[in-house]
Amino acid sequence: MSQNFRNIALAAAMVAATGIAFGAHQPMQGQYASPLGASLFANAGSHGFDGTVQLKLTNNSSQVLKVPYWQLPSHRMEGNLFQVTSNGRVATYTGPLVKRGAPTDADMVVFQPHETKLVAVNLAKFYDLKGGDVTVRFNSVLQDPRFGGRLGSLQTATMRVWLDGANLKGGADNQAKPGGGGTGTIVNGIAFVGCDSSQTSLAGAAVVDARTYTENAKTYMNSGAAGARYTTWFGAFNTTRYNTVKSHYAAIDTAMDYSSATAAANQVTIDCTCKQSYYAFVYPNQPYKIHVCRAFWTAPATGTDSKAGTLVHEMSHFDLTAGTNDWVYGQAAAMNLANTNPTNAIDNADNHEYFAENNPFQN
């Protein structure tokens, strides 16, 4: 489990609130009904809502429940788990988006029968919040190994509160982080930050392989084909969804080809300084810097969950390409998502990666 999550202070008691949103919506067809319930509260400071929300999670069953830690919020979020608007506009998520493997027992947060946990999240650190009318909704897809890869939905109703800009608690930490291109050592038009010679060689080869993947995916989508390869990863054919995926790969392929010679301000940048156990992460508003982590170096060059595929996954996250989210991880969950919720599948980075890797091969 992430050290960040281990450090969360989870309490069973409620706090005073100025806004509240109870309950979970019914799951999509094909998803299991999770016994985990969620309620959302607005933190009430002495001057009103300060941008911090409290999420109450309750195991409403007599069984032990296990949930991957990244599908629950924490003080150091690593995924876009809230739908937030600020004065009628979507509040941009500015935190990291991470590629991981399928969840294991080590990744699970345990809920004992009828146990309640409470976690506080300062949304101002992860979303571009402004003062005024704010709406917030928690929205996560649960991967529970007890259900053979089936997915559950954990959501709250939408909470609406008024935020006085002077009350914002803290700042948008992630917005202050340095941007992507134009730094590091340039090799073959790609920037490398904190990489030794071996890492530069491996990551450089991965960029070349990823470019092959994205060109192939773009060509497939431009052909109008909607065979098993498409439906496995993006669900039943629908013209609107198909055209969305088509535009995604066109943008991803263009961005992957950027170099210091073609787009110096936004060239592909590989940062090797990450020491986390997962594959990689990006900040979606900082094109096109990809932070590669420990699992990246042991991944195969191509094929399922490969180095090349990891770069496709991360490139899909940028706001300027596809703006994808991380709804689920792993092939089994990604296939299930395509079958049960193709709208989320075309917004899921792993689905984009597995379509591009096309392993096992499908037409």
Side-chain angles (χ1 to χ4, degrees), residues 17-327:
T18 58
I20 181 170
F22 286 113
H25 294 275
Q26 292 297 314
M28 295 288 294
Q29 183 177 2
Q31 295 181 342
Y32 70 86
S34 173
L36 191 64
S39 305
L40 189 63
F41 298 78
N43 190 57
S46 58
H47 300 288
F49 180 54
D50 62 7
T52 299
V53 297
Q54 306 276 348
L55 184 69
K56 179 185 179 184
L57 300 161
T58 301
N59 178 1
N60 294 313
S61 77
S62 58
Q63 296 181 323
V64 174
L65 297 181
K66 297 180 179 181
V67 180
Y69 71 84
W70 57 77
Q71 291 172 335
L72 302 176
S74 75
H75 73 287
R76 185 68 178 90
M77 287 196 353
E78 296 176 341
N80 183 9
L81 300 177
F82 292 89
Q83 295 172 339
V84 184
T85 69
S86 185
N87 290 323
R89 65 172 182 85
V90 174
T92 303
Y93 173 71
T94 59
L97 292 172
V98 177
K99 171 168 169 60
R100 315 172 190 274
T104 67
D105 279 346
D107 299 316
M108 297 298 177
V109 177
V110 178
F111 287 80
Q112 297 298 326
H114 307 294
E115 181 183 7
T116 291
K117 299 180 189 288
L118 184 69
V119 60
V121 180
N122 181 3
L123 295 177
K125 289 189 174 182
F126 306 102
Y127 294 88
D128 182 21
L129 274 185
K130 308 293 183 185
D133 189 37
V134 173
T135 67
V136 183
R137 179 180 179 231
F138 176 72
N139 185 23
S140 184
V141 173
L142 303 182
Q143 289 178 256
D144 192 326
R146 297 177 306 150
F147 295 90
R150 291 173 62 200
L151 306 176
S153 179
L154 182 63
Q155 304 169 343
T156 65
T158 299
M159 178 181 68
R160 185 174 182 177
V161 291
W162 180 264
L163 172 65
D164 186 333
N167 291 342
L168 276 174
K169 184 179 180 181
D173 291 352
N174 295 304
Q175 295 182 43
K177 294 182 181 296
T183 61
T185 302
I186 309 299
V187 179
N188 295 328
I190 305 164
F192 295 90
V193 176
C195 307
D196 61 30
S197 59
S198 175
Q199 290 173 326
T200 298
S201 177
L202 288 170
V207 172
V208 173
D209 289 334
R211 287 170 173 169
T212 299
Y213 274 158
T214 60
E215 181 65 31
N216 177 271
K218 181 183 71 172
T219 299
Y220 182 101
M221 296 303 300
N222 285 344
S223 74
R229 179 181 178 184
Y230 176 83
T231 57
T232 294
W233 302 116
F234 297 117
F237 177 82
N238 168 284
T239 300
T240 300
R241 289 196 298 265
Y242 191 95
N243 287 337
T244 297
V245 176
K246 179 180 176 180
S247 68
H248 285 179
Y249 283 113
I252 293 167
D253 182 63
T254 296
M256 192 64 74
D257 286 341
Y258 283 158
S259 69
S260 58
T262 58
N266 284 327
Q267 71 195 60
V268 176
T269 300
I270 305 296
D271 189 312
C272 300
T273 59
C274 173
K275 305 304 180 185
Q276 296 290 340
S277 61
Y278 35 70
Y279 288 84
F281 72 91
V282 299
Y283 292 97
N285 63 340
Q286 297 176 10
Y288 294 104
K289 188 172 190 176
I290 300 174
H291 304 256
V292 293
C293 306
R294 283 163 48 195
F296 177 86
W297 303 112
T298 58
T302 57
T304 303
D305 291 319
S306 61
K307 290 184 179 70
T310 293
L311 298 185
V312 176
H313 175 117
E314 295 302 334
M315 190 61 79
S316 77
H317 279 318
F318 290 113
D319 295 334
L320 295 181
T321 56
T324 60
N325 205 341
D326 285 314
W327 292 101

